[in-house]
Amino acid sequence: MAWIDSLSRRDFLKGASAFGVMNAAMWLGGCEGCQQQIANRPTRRNIANLAANDPVIQAYKDAVHAMQMLPTNDPRNWTNQASIHQNHCPHQNWWFLPWHRAYLLYFERICRKLSGYKDFALPYWNWTTSPAIPSVFWGDGNPLFDSTRFIGPSDLADPSWVGAPVIESILSTNNFYVFASYPATTQRQGTTYGQLESTPHNNIHGWVGGDMGAFMSPLDPVFWCHHNMLDCLWVEWNINRNNPNTNDATWLGLHFTEFCDENGQPVDVTAGITTLFPAFNYQFEPCGPTHTQNLKLQQRAALEAYLKQGAPVRLDFTQRVELKRTITAPIGRPVVSAAKIEAQTISSVLASEGKTSALLTVDGVEVPEKTEFYVRVFINKPDAGPETPISDPHYAGSFGFFQDSHEMAGMAAGATHPKFGFVVDTTPALRRLSQSGSLAGSVDVTLVPVAYEKRRAEGQRLSIDKLELGIANVK
């Protein structure tokens, strides 16, 4: 089903508010003279490449300060902007990426307006190459400083969430659900975290802590640059590596009406229209560990057609093996679960060249009251522990938690905590083990809960309802 068939012209024109008149005309086939303006659209840059006195940094500071000073009846007010996230953000479902893309775009426009810097483009924090929070976010009296953070200027994000091999592995999946989170029917329904959301996204939020550890996280100015990095990685995966987004009408057609433009006026934008933002509204400096460039999409007409079309996305499981039910483990103590997988089945995964994957599904994970730990996953290494390096060939991935910690703390005693679902693609680890000759007929999965550095997470436990390894045909 093509993009244009999934949305009525009326719905498109509503969603096109994010483009402006000129870009909407381009999409509809007019405005031939706009090509140069599109080609010169603002570039979102790596904040580590900007000097402290760069106009972009100063404009960001000025805009944040101006938003903090706006009256509470102005929707552009700093707290009001954070409340949009608190009240409407989709997490743990397939609208995670398009919703935050729209959120960033309108925030960028507000910053441009309030700072008076017409060329402002929101920078991103590349935590893969710069794992410490950049220095521009520190210092008393600095509008970009948030005093609630649990970490300091010299603390480094763990490579098991943001290291180049980990991010490259996430970018290597060709399935939209595994990359971007699973389908849902409503905006805030929780289904299953995809790997981009569960690993770098969740862990950066939990590790930074403070405001960043809750759904009012946009109160910390680093939030916007963190999410901008995720948007850049979506561009890398979708455009540069030619992995299509879903063309499901439910995904494309959802309207986001909670945002406001640079003048404080409400807007209506669809999830589907956000796929075109990088082609019309902004571009990125390269952010992936190994930057690629899709020559097929260098022509604008080809790029537009590709983004509008999308593709059917499927996960067809041919075999599911339940490893264990009801797992509970204290922090630092591994949980080992074994499954007998037929050698022929494993062989099909190893030889499929991306067409078949071995996906570990972790279901019914009870959200801890304080998200002070994350979980590492190993294959065929029952002796794995918190000290086992991620360079170990048995390492398969990790996942973290992101939940409104204020809401969790306010839950009544005995209340049922929400539960999450995660997916970890174990295919790369299985291939490494096969190449080294250490892959047998059975597969052991070891989960290791690990406390964030400088957090003891005393008394916290990992609780899981179901662990399953599935062989899936991916598309």
Side-chain angles (χ1 to χ4, degrees):
M1 182 189 302
W3 214 89
I4 188 64
D5 296 328
S6 301
L7 294 173
S8 69
R9 182 182 178 89
R10 180 180 178 183
D11 282 346
F12 166 75
L13 290 172
K14 278 188 174 183
S17 63
F19 286 112
V21 175
M22 180 267 292
N23 290 336
M26 277 284 295
W27 194 93
L28 292 170
C31 194
E32 293 299 328
C34 300
Q35 292 284 355
Q36 190 62 37
Q37 187 172 345
I38 297 296
N40 295 329
R41 64 199 184 278
T43 298
R44 294 179 175 181
R45 300 176 60 192
N46 182 347
I47 201 167
N49 296 336
L50 303 177
N53 62 349
D54 189 284
V56 170
I57 300 297
Q58 188 58 53
Y60 191 29
K61 290 181 178 180
D62 291 345
V64 170
H65 178 70
M67 294 171 74
Q68 291 169 342
M69 295 297 103
L70 287 174
T72 56
N73 63 350
D74 191 319
R76 301 170 300 172
N77 166 278
W78 187 249
T79 302
N80 290 341
Q81 282 292 302
S83 295
I84 294 174
H85 190 270
Q86 167 82 12
N87 297 326
H88 301 281
C89 63
H91 285 278
Q92 198 190 347
N93 74 41
W94 61 351
W95 285 300
F96 166 72
L97 286 176
W99 188 92
H100 286 84
R101 174 172 281 180
Y103 194 30
L104 293 174
L105 180 74
Y106 288 113
F107 176 78
E108 181 177 68
R109 289 187 169 188
I110 293 170
C111 288
R112 195 174 294 152
K113 171 91 172 185
L114 295 182
S115 69
Y117 184 47
K118 65 181 180 60
D119 296 323
F120 177 78
L122 185 68
Y124 63 85
W125 169 26
N126 190 330
W127 13 251
T128 298
T129 56
S130 304
I133 292 182
S135 59
V136 298
F137 290 98
W138 297 98
D140 292 338
N142 178 0
L144 304 185
F145 174 58
D146 186 308
S147 62
T148 69
R149 296 170 190 154
F150 292 173
I151 62 171
S154 61
D155 291 318
L156 303 178
D158 195 283
S160 60
W161 335 312
V162 299
V166 171
I167 300 304
E168 183 61 36
S169 178
I170 293 172
L171 290 170
S172 295
T173 183
N174 61 5
N175 184 274
F176 179 77
Y177 302 157
V178 177
F179 176 76
S181 298
Y182 280 31
T185 56
T186 60
Q187 183 165 321
R188 303 201 87 182
Q189 176 191 2
T191 54
T192 297
Y193 281 108
Q195 296 189 129
L196 186 69
E197 188 178 3
S198 69
T199 303
H201 169 264
N202 285 5
N203 280 305
I204 288 292
H205 274 283
W207 170 67
V208 174
D211 285 330
M212 273 285 281
F215 277 12
M216 285 295 283
S217 47
L219 289 174
D220 188 336
V222 81
F223 164 94
W224 304 94
C225 297
H226 166 47
H227 270 273
N228 205 19
M229 175 63 176
L230 298 168
D231 193 48
C232 187
L233 290 176
W234 185 15
V235 169
E236 173 68 20
W237 180 86
N238 176 214
I239 297 177
N240 297 338
R241 304 196 181 203
N242 199 31
N243 294 299
N245 299 310
T246 178
N247 65 359
D248 188 287
T250 301
W251 184 79
L252 292 167
L254 185 66
H255 286 259
F256 307 133
T257 60
E258 50 268 27
F259 307 122
C260 73
D261 66 13
E262 60 270 31
N263 299 312
Q265 297 301 308
V267 295
D268 184 336
V269 60
T270 60
I273 209 74
T274 68
T275 64
L276 295 175
F277 286 2
F280 287 94
N281 296 90
Y282 56 84
Q283 53 194 324
F284 281 104
E285 284 185 343
C287 62
T290 55
H291 176 61
T292 58
Q293 191 172 40
N294 191 330
L295 297 179
K296 295 179 180 178
L297 299 179
Q298 293 307 296
Q299 295 297 319
R300 177 154 302 279
L303 176 58
E304 289 180 41
Y306 165 75
L307 291 175
K308 293 173 192 174
Q309 183 176 4
V313 178
R314 298 173 61 183
L315 274 179
D316 296 327
F317 284 90
T318 59
Q319 183 175 354
R320 296 174 184 264
V321 179
E322 188 174 294
L323 304 179
K324 205 166 192 177
R325 279 186 174 272
T326 314
I327 298 170
T328 302
I331 306 307
R333 184 177 300 175
V335 176
V336 183
S337 189
K340 188 71 174 179
I341 305 291
E342 297 178 2
Q344 183 177 0
T345 302
I346 294 295
S347 297
S348 69
V349 172
L350 302 178
S352 68
E353 298 182 352
K355 296 179 181 179
T356 306
S357 297
L359 303 177
L360 179 70
T361 301
V362 188
D363 265 339
V365 184
E366 185 173 300
V367 181
E369 184 172 318
K370 295 181 179 180
T371 52
E372 295 187 335
F373 69 93
Y374 64 103
V375 181
R376 290 180 177 176
V377 181
F378 294 85
I379 301 296
N380 286 6
K381 190 168 180 61
D383 61 343
E387 71 289 342
T388 305
I390 66 171
S391 58
D392 189 294
H394 299 82
Y395 179 71
S398 72
F399 58 87
F401 307 95
F402 180 54
Q403 177 64 23
D404 186 3
S405 57
H406 299 312
E407 180 182 344
M408 294 290 294
M411 290 182 66
T416 302
H417 285 201
K419 295 188 176 183
F420 288 168
F422 300 87
V423 62
V424 178
D425 189 352
T426 66
T427 309
L430 290 171
R431 288 177 176 164
R432 286 194 301 270
L433 297 176
S434 176
Q435 291 168 2
S436 66
S438 56
L439 186 62
S442 63
V443 175
D444 293 336
V445 175
T446 302
L447 304 181
V448 184
V450 182
Y452 291 127
E453 189 177 6
K454 298 182 180 178
R455 314 261 193 93
R456 302 183 67 179
E458 291 180 347
Q460 295 192 43
R461 304 173 71 85
L462 173 66
S463 178
I464 297 171
D465 287 344
K466 184 179 179 182
L467 197 63
E468 178 185 88
L469 187 64
I471 308 302
N473 294 325
V474 296
K475 185 176 179 180

